[in-house]
Amino acid sequence: MRFATFVHDGKRQPGVVAGDQVHPFEHPVELLDLVMEGEQSLRWAGERALTGSLPLPLADVRLLPPLRPPTVRDYMTFEGHVAGIAQGYGDTVPDEWYEAPAFYFTNPYSVIGAHDDVPVPPGCARFDFELEVAAVIGKPGRDLTPDQAREHILGYMILNDWSARDLQGREMRVKLGPAKAKDTATTLGPWLVTADELEPHRNPEGFLDLALTVQVNGETVGQDRLANMAWTFEEMAAYASRGTWIRPGDVLGSGTCGNGGCLAELWGRNGTFEPLPLVPGDIVTMTVEGIGTISNTVIEGVAPVPVPSARRRQ
C-alpha cells in the first residue's frame, strides 16, 4: 500500500494512494499515530479508506511529508559518493568508513513535501541536493540483528537531503557537524510505500535493486541503483538499534547515491564547480523506481541573522 498525508480545501489528512487518486481516511488522524499503533492498524485504516471514501485526484491536493518523523538518521552507504567527495579534497575513502554504516542526526522539523518550494539556506552560496531513499521504522526494537530488523521496517520513501556545501565545509573543520548546512529542508515523499510492495525488487544479496535518477531543470544530472549501497537497510537499522531504541516513525536515510547523486560529488571529480550550484528558480526532480517522483523548486531564502563571533578566553 501507499500512504500519503495531504492538504485539500485547507484540511490536513492522511489517505491511501491508488493510481492517480488518493482515498482519504475515514477519520482525520496523524499517519504517525497509526504507525505507532502497529502495521495491522495502519493497513486496516487503509483498506477502509479504499472501500469507503470518495477519492480525490492527486492533482487537486498538496502532498505533505507522509509522516512527521521523531528522528531522522542520515547515513553514507554509497562508496561512489564518498569517493567523489573525498577526491575533491585530494583524499580517498577512509578505512573507518568500511567498518560500520556511519550516520548523523538531521532536523526532523525541517521536513517538507514532495512539491514544496525549498528556500536557499541563510548565507549559502553553494546549494546542493542529495538523492536518497529512506526507510521508515514500523515497530520498536533494541539491539536487533539484521534478520530481526527486517520486520521492523514498515516501508520506504524518497529523501532529498538539501545541503549548503559552503556552510558544511566550515562546520566540518570544527570536527563537529554537519549542522546548519543541513538544517533548512529535507524532502520526504511523495508517499510511504510499504515494504511488501518493493520485495520483488530485492536481489540475492538482500538489497533493493531500484533505479534512481535526479534531474535539474529537466536535464539528468545523476543516476544510480539502490543496490549499490554498501549496507542493507536491515543492517543500518540493526546498527541504529545498537545500545538504544529505534521507534515507529524513525527515518533512516540511505545517504546520497553515487554517479551524480549530488553536485558536490561531481565537483570533487571534476575539480571545478560544474554543474553550477543551485539558484532560485532551479527545479530538482528525483525519481525512484517502485516509489515515485518528487520535484521541488528552489526559491530565495532570507538573510542570516547576525551572530557575534566567539569571545576569546585564552
Side-chain angles (χ1 to χ4, degrees):
M1 301 182 84
R2 301 183 173 207
F3 295 97
T5 298
F6 61 93
V7 172
H8 182 256
D9 284 343
K11 180 181 178 182
R12 173 191 173 100
Q13 54 191 318
V16 180
V17 176
D20 59 357
Q21 297 179 318
V22 58
H23 297 252
F25 280 10
E26 182 179 4
H27 301 292
V29 297
E30 287 291 329
L31 201 59
L32 179 59
D33 292 337
L34 289 173
V35 170
M36 294 181 71
E37 290 178 12
E39 185 174 356
Q40 185 173 356
S41 293
L42 180 64
R43 288 185 178 274
W44 179 80
E47 289 167 359
R48 289 198 57 164
L50 284 171
T51 58
S53 69
L54 293 175
L56 300 168
L58 279 171
D60 291 348
V61 307
R62 175 193 164 205
L63 290 171
L64 302 175
L67 49 74
R68 291 169 168 158
T71 67
V72 181
R73 294 172 176 86
D74 204 5
Y75 288 73
M76 294 192 340
T77 69
F78 286 87
E79 188 175 9
H81 166 73
V82 180
I85 297 293
Q87 185 176 341
Y89 294 93
D91 208 345
T92 58
V93 180
D95 292 340
E96 292 80 2
W97 179 83
Y98 296 94
E99 295 176 3
F103 67 86
Y104 73 96
F105 282 97
T106 192
N107 186 359
Y109 302 117
S110 71
V111 295
I112 63 174
H115 304 289
D116 289 344
D117 293 340
V118 56
V120 176
C124 172
R126 295 177 189 164
F127 198 31
D128 196 1
F129 57 81
E130 294 196 11
L131 169 56
E132 308 187 24
V133 171
V136 178
I137 299 302
K139 69 177 186 177
R142 183 186 178 102
D143 293 310
L144 302 171
T145 67
D147 285 343
Q148 292 170 334
R150 179 167 295 188
E151 66 181 37
H152 290 257
I153 296 176
L154 172 63
Y156 302 89
M157 51 191 170
I158 304 173
L159 185 155
N160 185 350
D161 178 31
W162 300 92
S163 302
R165 296 302 187 188
D166 44 353
L167 305 187
Q168 183 178 2
R170 291 199 297 271
E171 290 175 335
M172 300 304 284
R173 284 196 289 272
V174 186
K175 311 299 183 184
L176 187 66
K180 297 308 293 183
K182 305 278 191 169
D183 216 20
T184 294
T186 300
T187 305
L188 294 177
W191 33 70
L192 171 64
V193 179
T194 53
D196 57 303
E197 279 208 25
L198 297 180
E199 199 58 32
H201 296 276
R202 192 176 296 276
N203 71 14
E205 286 188 286
F207 292 91
L208 296 175
D209 192 10
L210 309 175
L212 316 173
T213 304
V214 57
Q215 297 181 322
V216 177
N217 301 327
E219 180 178 348
T220 299
V221 175
Q223 48 192 345
D224 201 352
R225 299 200 70 85
L226 192 61
N228 286 331
M229 295 167 65
W231 291 272
T232 66
F233 282 105
E234 290 79 11
E235 291 162 345
M236 292 156 57
Y239 186 63
S241 75
R242 183 184 293 180
T244 190
W245 286 90
I246 53 174
R247 298 192 181 278
D250 285 354
V251 166
L252 310 180
S254 65
T256 313
C257 69
N259 197 36
C262 70
L263 297 176
E265 179 205 332
L266 299 176
W267 298 340
R269 296 191 186 280
N270 298 335
T272 181
F273 292 112
E274 291 287 343
L276 295 173
L278 300 173
V279 296
D282 284 341
I283 300 173
V284 179
T285 303
M286 298 179 171
T287 300
V288 175
E289 180 183 5
I291 298 181
T293 297
I294 61 175
S295 188
N296 301 96
T297 301
V298 178
I299 61 172
E300 292 279 359
V302 300
V305 175
V307 175
S309 57
R311 282 78 168 172
R312 295 180 181 269
R313 306 299 190 191
Q314 297 187 41

